[in-house]
Amino acid sequence: MAQNPVEDNFITRIILGFVVLYAMLIVGSSVGNMFSTDNGYVALIGFVIGALFVFVIFAALYSRYDQSHNS
C-alpha cells in the first residue's frame, strides 16, 4: 500500500507534528484566556477544549488527505 507524501519523508512528519502542536498551543491559549477568571481550573479547561478542537479538525482533514492517497 502506498503512503502519502507526508509519511514518506521523516522531516515532513516532524515539521507537521510541530505545526499541529504549535497550533494547539496557540488556540488553546486563546480559548483559555477567553475563559480566564479568578479560578485557574476554568482557564485550564478552556485550554484543553481549544487544543482538542484543533486536534479533531486536523485529524479529520488528515484522514481525508490520507484516504485520497490510498485509494
Side-chain angles (χ1 to χ4, degrees), residues 4-63:
N4 66 41
V6 173
E7 292 179 7
D8 281 340
N9 190 346
F10 177 74
I11 300 299
T12 57
R13 282 189 289 176
I14 296 296
I15 292 171
L16 181 64
F18 280 129
V19 167
V20 171
L21 287 174
Y22 185 70
M24 289 171 68
L25 178 69
I26 295 299
V27 173
S29 295
S30 298
V31 174
N33 286 336
M34 204 167 50
F35 291 146
S36 180
T37 61
D38 291 334
N39 189 352
Y41 292 113
V42 176
L44 179 64
I45 291 170
F47 177 84
V48 170
I49 289 171
L52 281 175
F53 177 75
V54 170
F55 181 75
V56 167
I57 296 296
F58 169 76
L61 292 175
Y62 190 78
S63 175

